[in-house]
Amino acid sequence: MRLDKFISKSTEYSLTDAIELIENKRVVVNGHIASAASGQAHKNSVVTLDDKILIARSSRYFMLNKPVDTICSNIDERYPSALNLLDVEKVDELHIAGRLDAGTTGLVLITDDGHWSFNLTSPKNNCEKLYKVVLVRPLTSDAIPLFRDGMLLRGSSKLTLPAKLHIIDSHNVLLTLTEGRYHQIKRMFVLIGNRVKSLHRQRIGNVELDVDIGRWRSLTQEEVASLSVNTE
Ligand code: URA
């Protein structure tokens, strides 16, 4: 972990403060005064600040039921960041693992553990994501093999990975994907002459959304472990 991040994870100081502490030569790593914020703190490194040993807090993992008109980046743009809904300390250190569009609702996973989210969102991981889709036009079971066999999205030379389509009724379906290309579901339905009216993510892997819209909770250790895979 970068040294500035380690300091911020083990104290009340922000990342910016941490850089200043390093510049002011108040941080020592394994007996040597630290000179760069980008230096590394390893598992067995002894890091001190003003001679006090620092112990990094463990990583944090949350689920949030994302409302419409919020975005999954860390900074507010046209819409506010969904991260604003979390009333926890140091929200600026968190990020969303696997984005949803501004208009999409449902399950997003939030963490400060970059390795965990990298592995989780890696295409090699094959992690299933389940979406509830409401369609503008009626759909018949003829569409099932199209999703299963893969589609060539506009501008792409690679077929989409096999997706499972379950038809609830003419306008409501469940769709399970193992990848997350840009606007993927909307583009898939456009390709077969339909349109998405609303989109909601209900499950990622074995982790099922169980909080109301706009609410969040910490993930259990079992949930974190169930989504921990090493794709490196
Ligand atoms: N597919 C989309 O088109 N949008 C999302 O937000 C997620 C999947």
Side-chain angles (χ1 to χ4, degrees):
M1 187 188 308
R2 271 177 64 111
L3 190 54
D4 49 359
K5 190 165 178 203
F6 180 91
I7 294 167
S8 147
K9 276 192 97 170
S10 54
T11 65
E12 293 314 308
Y13 291 111
S14 67
L15 275 179
T16 322
D17 295 335
I19 294 168
E20 211 176 301
L21 292 168
I22 295 165
E23 278 170 4
N24 291 338
K25 307 204 179 312
R26 289 170 61 187
V27 179
V28 172
V29 181
N30 297 332
H32 301 283
I33 295 177
S35 54
S38 59
Q40 294 291 306
H42 300 284
K43 241 190 205 151
N44 300 324
S45 304
V46 178
V47 182
T48 60
L49 169 65
D50 298 337
D51 298 328
K52 280 199 202 87
I53 292 184
L54 302 182
I55 312 280
R57 279 188 293 277
S58 44
S59 295
R60 299 180 289 170
Y61 306 88
F62 305 98
M63 74 157 66
L64 166 75
N65 189 340
K66 176 193 167 305
V68 282
D69 295 348
T70 57
I71 54 169
C72 289
S73 74
N74 279 53
I75 32 173
D76 300 344
E77 290 165 23
R78 183 157 167 229
Y79 296 108
S81 165
L83 289 169
N84 295 335
L85 292 161
L86 261 78
D87 42 357
V88 297
E89 281 180 11
K90 300 195 175 189
V91 175
D92 55 319
E93 289 180 9
L94 299 169
H95 62 269
I96 292 177
R99 295 174 171 211
L100 293 177
D101 298 336
T104 304
T105 57
L107 177 60
V108 288
L109 300 176
I110 299 171
T111 184
D112 52 5
D113 181 345
H115 283 290
W116 185 79
S117 56
F118 177 83
N119 285 329
L120 176 64
T121 53
S122 163
K124 290 187 205 150
N125 177 356
N126 271 324
C127 178
E128 285 193 345
K129 271 96 43 186
L130 174 71
Y131 295 85
K132 290 180 180 165
V133 192
V134 181
L135 296 164
V136 171
R137 284 187 266 283
L139 191 81
T140 66
S141 57
D142 296 347
I144 293 173
L146 303 177
F147 283 84
R148 184 194 58 214
D149 297 343
M151 296 180 193
L152 210 47
L153 296 177
R154 195 186 264 244
S156 172
S157 55
K158 257 171 93 185
L159 282 177
T160 54
L161 292 175
K164 280 182 244 160
L165 181 69
H166 173 82
I167 300 184
I168 301 169
D169 60 38
S170 61
H171 288 77
N172 293 280
V173 301
L174 297 176
L175 183 63
T176 308
L177 300 185
T178 58
E179 58 184 342
R181 301 194 204 176
Y182 181 67
H183 292 331
Q184 178 161 348
I185 296 179
K186 290 177 192 146
R187 289 160 72 206
M188 288 172 106
F189 281 102
V190 165
L191 206 63
I192 61 162
N194 208 319
R195 257 192 27 235
V196 170
K197 192 166 171 190
S198 71
L199 188 54
H200 178 85
R201 186 157 64 194
Q202 184 56 34
R203 183 167 58 76
I204 298 177
N206 291 326
V207 175
E208 188 88 24
L209 181 66
D210 58 8
V211 292
D212 290 340
I213 199 89
R215 309 304 288 240
W216 60 274
R217 70 165 171 85
S218 293
L219 294 183
T220 64
Q221 277 181 8
E222 291 73 26
E223 286 171 329
V224 174
S226 82
L227 295 172
S228 301
V229 276
N230 194 351
T231 56
E232 285 166 287

